[in-house]
Amino acid sequence: MDSRKAQTHRRIVETAAELFGLQSYQAVNVNQICDRANVNKATLYQHFGSKEALAVATIEHHFERQKADFYEAAMAALPNPVDRLSGIYQRIYQQHLARSDRGESCIGCPFVNILSEMAVGSPAIRDAVQAAFEGLKPYYRLIARDAKVIGYANRELDGDAVSSALIAIMNGAMISAKTENRPEAILENLETAKLILRG
Amino acid sequence: MDSRKAQTHRRIVETAAELFGLQSYQAVNVNQICDRANVNKATLYQHFGSKEALAVATIEHHFERQKADFYEAAMAALPNPVDRLSGIYQRIYQQHLARSDRGESCIGCPFVNILSEMAVGSPAIRDAVQAAFEGLKPYYRLIARDAKVIGYANRELDGDAVSSALIAIMNGAMISAKTENRPEAILENLETAKLILRG
Amino acid sequence: MDSRKAQTHRRIVETAAELFGLQSYQAVNVNQICDRANVNKATLYQHFGSKEALAVATIEHHFERQKADFYEAAMAALPNPVDRLSGIYQRIYQQHLARSDRGESCIGCPFVNILSEMAVGSPAIRDAVQAAFEGLKPYYRLIARDAKVIGYANRELDGDAVSSALIAIMNGAMISAKTENRPEAILENLETAKLILRG
Amino acid sequence: MDSRKAQTHRRIVETAAELFGLQSYQAVNVNQICDRANVNKATLYQHFGSKEALAVATIEHHFERQKADFYEAAMAALPNPVDRLSGIYQRIYQQHLARSDRGESCIGCPFVNILSEMAVGSPAIRDAVQAAFEGLKPYYRLIARDAKVIGYANRELDGDAVSSALIAIMNGAMISAKTENRPEAILENLETAKLILRG
DNA sequence: AATGAATGAGAGTTCATTCAT
DNA sequence: GATGAATGAACTCTCATTCAT
């Protein structure tokens, strides 16, 4: 059961995550977050200390959400590794599609967005994004292992290399979708992901 | 022969391109650009009208530079399409390595950086990045065609799909390099690019 | 009892009203107002949102002051309508005279000043001035009614027409005073005001 | 016959006069004037030395135009002094009406506008306006003299006082028209002018 | 604990004016 | 002599952050 303090904390993080996604870290100001989250500015600063720290919290929040909504969900739905890979792409695509249907433009990957913007200026943010990607790799590593087991992969795969490559192509896919403002671009890169998996 | 005006113009664009790369669009202010380029702020605004317009000019500048230094250079150096693909990756890697040796951290792709930061807020910037990617695709399309000719590709390739996929993996590679602050990550994704080429 | 916020608010409005009067709306910058009022610029903008909004507030401030110091005071001092009209002119003249004695030049009517400068560019300012003039007309209307009652006016007067005419001649008087840098010009136009009242 | 230089001079003054009227002295910038008048900025500065000097020239220009188009025209049209007074008001009203029909808002009197805005900051501008008003008074003085001659005025009029009063009510009329964005307000104050004339 | 009010520093942009060719 | 290019100073407004209650 959430305490009132924890609720406020969550509300701030969720609001910030949403706003950073809709625009960008630097384009969103602390007032907007406070207004939308219905918290006083000083309260926000008591919870997070700085805007940068809040950004780190949003990265962790996105990580937890992506893990649950995309990765765990896809793993739980089907046993076949290729289906699982496909399931991850489908779920991310569906989320982008829903936003697109609401008239919003394609915002891409929250990790890539804040990394591109802030990595050089803020090591803390870079580290948080790196940790998030590391935290997603185990799913790809599992998929790679199973791809060999069922004979989809032609040869023994290097788990590190494959999971890194799959993270890369997923990020590339999100960039394409954002560039062209076209969620379908995500799905189109599933083919490359499968090539990687086949080895 | 460059007129004085053209020289000033170039100096502003090059300085802005460099600074936006070292930090980010929003983190760099117009004063910094003026100081470094040795131009008066009003002069900058007579040349570009707005910071956003200057950003668009830097995107076009990066495009011209990348085309010449990476793509045209790689195409001119060797005839084999796989070597050419490899040449592109090598050249981009070398540039990142040089910066790394100078103690700078890995800044990734200028197109991806500004796109991630500004695509939603500035359609003009998004369009400029999209145009840049489109302008690079012909090189990949040519490589794909030749890959079939020499028998590297297993089957007839869809030029559009392949070039899009190769742009995606290049962007993903740059993201990885930036995330891990490790230029080598670029080269590691050349393997995926080759998989795409093989089909 | 004024809260601290209300005090700050008042200090800003009074300072701005004074400075706008001494120079003009556009000639005074927000920094000058802040310096003189001893307020931070961000504080000013939290209170008023824009320089234009502050200008509107100064117009309302002048209205309240004029109502109290000139119109209510003149009405309270004497019952005879002609004396009251005269009292209004006298009070306004005295104020200008005091400034003149302090070596300041004749600044005219704050409503006319900002209207002349900003009416076309800022409907909000024009509306505020119009409202101020409307708010002063009831005094003239009352004077006109009583002028008939005591037999000063030759005939039944149209309250709207007379009050409008009295506003016009007062404004004309202020223009003359400012043009010639001579407060006496205000008093000289009292004669015309009386003609209007006589009908 | 106008030399090319004199033509340029005229074009600049007329353009500036128009733009200052449409907005205000400070709201119009030198670039706008140059663009609209099709002259180079340095050329403008060779002709006038400063924006303020140009403003003085526009005041003189307005004076010449008003004298010819309103005052001389009204005097030439009819011999009766009351008709002449009426003719002046009618002509000014018609000009405002024409602008109103073109969808422009009521800009008031150019002398009053720039005086209200700049009198305190620029003695040169104040002097130019004062001179303009002085230059118009002879017409009113003539009308006042004739009003006595034909028996319209009840008594011998003080030419100075009457002409000053007529200038004042004309200015007051223009202020009303601008405040209410209603050209008719000009005509409504003709009644007061007649009262002044009757004495 | 919570908040309304305040703040120093700095953002992008524009100005009237002058230089250099 | 005419003009395209440049400039220093100043503009309104906003930021992340902290104080005082």
Side-chain angles (χ1 to χ4, degrees):
Chain A
M1 185 189 68
D2 268 7
S3 71
R4 173 135 181 269
K5 185 172 177 181
Q7 276 184 324
T8 301
H9 195 95
R10 257 176 75 93
R11 211 166 59 248
I12 296 172
V13 173
E14 283 173 2
T15 306
E18 188 188 358
L19 291 179
F20 290 159
L22 286 174
Q23 309 192 48
S24 79
Y25 173 72
Q26 290 171 102
V28 172
N29 66 46
V30 178
N31 269 329
Q32 289 173 261
I33 298 170
C34 292
D35 288 354
R36 188 99 99 109
N38 237 332
V39 285
N40 185 276
K41 222 189 305 196
T43 303
L44 183 150
Y45 273 90
Q46 265 177 244
H47 278 267
F48 294 96
S50 73
K51 190 188 179 188
E52 189 186 15
L54 173 55
V56 168
T58 65
I59 293 167
E60 285 154 4
H61 169 78
H62 277 300
F63 172 63
E64 295 300 335
R65 287 286 299 267
Q66 290 211 2
K67 221 169 51 168
D69 296 351
F70 302 149
Y71 292 78
E72 291 289 353
M75 302 303 274
L78 294 162
N80 180 288
V82 184
D83 292 339
R84 286 174 161 183
L85 184 67
S86 185
I88 295 167
Y89 273 75
Q90 281 291 344
R91 281 169 173 78
I92 293 177
Y93 164 66
Q94 289 298 337
Q95 188 202 41
H96 274 72
L97 197 60
R99 275 202 278 252
S100 200
D101 289 346
R102 268 181 275 133
E104 297 170 22
S105 58
C106 207
I107 65 182
C109 170
F111 304 132
V112 170
N113 285 344
I114 203 162
L115 175 93
S116 299
E117 190 181 352
M118 299 301 298
V120 178
S122 166
I125 287 177
R126 198 189 63 85
D127 290 350
V129 170
Q130 183 165 15
F133 286 149
E134 285 306 318
L136 296 179
K137 283 185 184 173
Y139 296 100
Y140 290 122
R141 211 174 272 118
L142 199 59
I143 287 172
R145 195 203 57 191
D146 292 349
K148 171 64 185 160
V149 171
I150 67 163
Y152 183 82
N154 298 320
R155 49 184 172 74
E156 192 67 45
L157 298 171
D158 175 344
D160 283 357
V162 167
S163 59
S164 290
L166 288 171
I167 289 282
I169 193 58
M170 173 61 87
N171 289 338
M174 304 288 250
I175 294 286
S176 296
K178 186 164 187 172
T179 305
E180 304 166 17
N181 198 18
R182 200 169 57 82
E184 291 72 31
I186 296 169
L187 278 189
E188 288 159 13
N189 283 280
L190 173 57
E191 292 314 307
T192 299
K194 286 183 184 168
L195 285 178
I196 292 168
L197 205 56
R198 178 158 276 141
Chain B
M1 179 190 71
D2 265 10
S3 69
R4 185 169 170 217
K5 181 175 185 180
Q7 278 183 323
T8 302
H9 196 95
R10 260 175 72 94
R11 214 166 57 247
I12 296 171
V13 173
E14 282 172 2
T15 307
E18 188 187 356
L19 291 179
F20 290 159
L22 285 174
Q23 309 191 47
S24 80
Y25 173 72
Q26 289 172 103
V28 172
N29 67 46
V30 177
N31 274 328
Q32 289 172 259
I33 298 170
C34 292
D35 287 354
R36 184 100 93 114
N38 236 336
V39 210
N40 185 278
K41 219 191 307 193
T43 301
L44 184 151
Y45 274 91
Q46 235 175 279
H47 277 266
F48 294 98
S50 72
K51 191 187 179 190
E52 187 187 19
L54 174 56
V56 168
T58 65
I59 293 167
E60 286 155 4
H61 169 77
H62 277 301
F63 172 62
E64 296 299 335
R65 288 286 299 265
Q66 290 211 1
K67 222 169 50 164
D69 296 352
F70 302 151
Y71 292 79
E72 291 288 351
M75 302 302 275
L78 294 162
N80 180 286
V82 184
D83 292 340
R84 285 173 161 184
L85 184 67
S86 186
I88 295 167
Y89 272 75
Q90 280 292 345
R91 282 169 173 79
I92 293 176
Y93 165 66
Q94 288 299 338
Q95 188 203 43
H96 274 72
L97 196 62
R99 276 202 281 253
S100 202
D101 288 346
R102 266 181 276 134
E104 298 170 23
S105 61
C106 204
I107 65 181
C109 169
F111 303 132
V112 170
N113 285 343
I114 203 163
L115 176 93
S116 299
E117 191 181 352
M118 299 302 298
V120 178
S122 166
I125 288 177
R126 197 188 63 84
D127 290 350
V129 171
Q130 184 165 13
F133 287 150
E134 285 304 318
L136 297 179
K137 284 184 182 174
Y139 296 100
Y140 290 121
R141 211 174 272 120
L142 198 60
I143 288 172
R145 198 203 56 190
D146 291 348
K148 170 64 186 162
V149 171
I150 67 164
Y152 182 82
N154 299 319
R155 49 180 171 74
E156 192 68 46
L157 299 170
D158 175 345
D160 283 357
V162 169
S163 58
S164 290
L166 289 172
I167 288 282
I169 192 57
M170 173 61 85
N171 288 337
M174 304 287 253
I175 294 286
S176 296
K178 185 164 187 170
T179 305
E180 303 165 17
N181 198 17
R182 200 170 55 80
E184 291 72 29
I186 295 168
L187 278 190
E188 289 159 13
N189 283 280
L190 173 58
E191 292 314 308
T192 299
K194 287 184 185 168
L195 284 179
I196 292 168
L197 205 57
R198 180 159 274 142
Chain C
M1 180 191 71
D2 265 9
S3 69
R4 185 170 170 218
K5 181 177 184 178
Q7 277 183 324
T8 302
H9 195 96
R10 259 175 72 93
R11 214 166 58 247
I12 296 171
V13 173
E14 283 172 3
T15 307
E18 189 188 357
L19 291 180
F20 289 159
L22 286 175
Q23 308 192 48
S24 80
Y25 173 72
Q26 290 172 103
V28 172
N29 66 48
V30 177
N31 274 329
Q32 289 173 258
I33 299 170
C34 291
D35 288 353
R36 186 100 94 113
N38 235 337
V39 210
N40 185 277
K41 217 189 311 190
T43 301
L44 184 150
Y45 274 93
Q46 235 175 279
H47 276 267
F48 293 98
S50 71
K51 190 187 179 189
E52 187 186 19
L54 174 56
V56 168
T58 66
I59 293 167
E60 285 155 5
H61 169 77
H62 277 300
F63 172 62
E64 296 300 335
R65 288 287 299 267
Q66 290 210 2
K67 222 169 49 167
D69 297 352
F70 303 150
Y71 292 80
E72 291 288 352
M75 302 303 274
L78 293 162
N80 179 287
V82 184
D83 292 339
R84 287 174 160 183
L85 185 66
S86 187
I88 295 167
Y89 273 74
Q90 281 291 346
R91 282 169 173 79
I92 293 177
Y93 165 66
Q94 289 299 339
Q95 188 202 42
H96 274 72
L97 197 59
R99 276 202 280 252
S100 202
D101 288 346
R102 268 180 274 133
E104 297 169 23
S105 59
C106 203
I107 65 179
C109 170
F111 303 133
V112 170
N113 285 343
I114 202 163
L115 176 93
S116 299
E117 191 181 350
M118 299 302 298
V120 178
S122 166
I125 288 177
R126 197 188 63 85
D127 290 350
V129 170
Q130 184 166 13
F133 287 148
E134 286 304 317
L136 297 179
K137 284 184 183 175
Y139 296 100
Y140 290 122
R141 210 175 272 119
L142 199 60
I143 288 172
R145 197 203 57 191
D146 292 348
K148 171 63 186 163
V149 170
I150 66 164
Y152 182 82
N154 298 319
R155 49 181 172 74
E156 192 67 48
L157 298 171
D158 174 345
D160 283 356
V162 168
S163 58
S164 290
L166 289 172
I167 289 282
I169 192 58
M170 174 60 86
N171 288 337
M174 303 288 251
I175 294 286
S176 296
K178 185 165 188 170
T179 305
E180 304 166 16
N181 198 17
R182 200 170 56 82
E184 291 73 30
I186 295 168
L187 277 190
E188 288 159 12
N189 282 281
L190 173 56
E191 292 315 307
T192 299
K194 286 184 184 168
L195 284 179
I196 292 168
L197 204 57
R198 180 159 273 141
Chain D
M1 186 188 69
D2 268 8
S3 70
R4 174 134 181 269
K5 185 170 178 183
Q7 277 183 324
T8 301
H9 195 96
R10 258 175 73 92
R11 212 166 59 247
I12 295 172
V13 173
E14 283 172 2
T15 306
E18 189 188 357
L19 291 180
F20 290 159
L22 287 174
Q23 310 193 47
S24 81
Y25 173 72
Q26 289 171 103
V28 172
N29 67 45
V30 178
N31 269 328
Q32 290 173 260
I33 299 170
C34 291
D35 287 353
R36 188 98 99 109
N38 237 331
V39 285
N40 184 275
K41 222 190 302 193
T43 303
L44 183 150
Y45 273 90
Q46 264 177 245
H47 278 268
F48 294 98
S50 73
K51 190 188 180 188
E52 189 186 16
L54 174 55
V56 168
T58 66
I59 294 167
E60 285 154 5
H61 169 78
H62 277 299
F63 172 62
E64 295 300 336
R65 287 286 300 264
Q66 289 211 1
K67 219 169 52 169
D69 297 351
F70 303 149
Y71 293 78
E72 291 289 351
M75 302 303 275
L78 294 162
N80 180 286
V82 185
D83 292 339
R84 287 174 160 183
L85 184 67
S86 186
I88 295 167
Y89 273 74
Q90 281 292 343
R91 282 169 174 78
I92 293 178
Y93 164 66
Q94 289 299 337
Q95 187 202 42
H96 274 72
L97 196 60
R99 276 203 278 253
S100 200
D101 289 345
R102 266 181 276 133
E104 297 169 23
S105 60
C106 208
I107 65 181
C109 170
F111 304 132
V112 170
N113 285 344
I114 202 163
L115 176 94
S116 299
E117 190 181 351
M118 299 302 297
V120 178
S122 166
I125 287 177
R126 197 189 63 84
D127 290 349
V129 170
Q130 185 166 14
F133 287 149
E134 286 305 318
L136 297 178
K137 283 184 184 174
Y139 296 99
Y140 290 122
R141 211 174 272 119
L142 198 60
I143 287 172
R145 196 203 58 191
D146 292 349
K148 171 64 187 163
V149 170
I150 66 164
Y152 183 83
N154 299 319
R155 47 180 173 77
E156 191 68 44
L157 299 171
D158 175 343
D160 282 356
V162 168
S163 59
S164 291
L166 288 172
I167 288 283
I169 191 58
M170 174 60 87
N171 288 337
M174 303 288 251
I175 293 287
S176 297
K178 186 165 186 169
T179 305
E180 304 166 18
N181 198 18
R182 200 170 57 82
E184 290 73 30
I186 296 169
L187 278 189
E188 289 159 13
N189 283 280
L190 173 57
E191 292 315 307
T192 299
K194 286 182 183 168
L195 285 177
I196 293 168
L197 204 58
R198 178 160 275 142

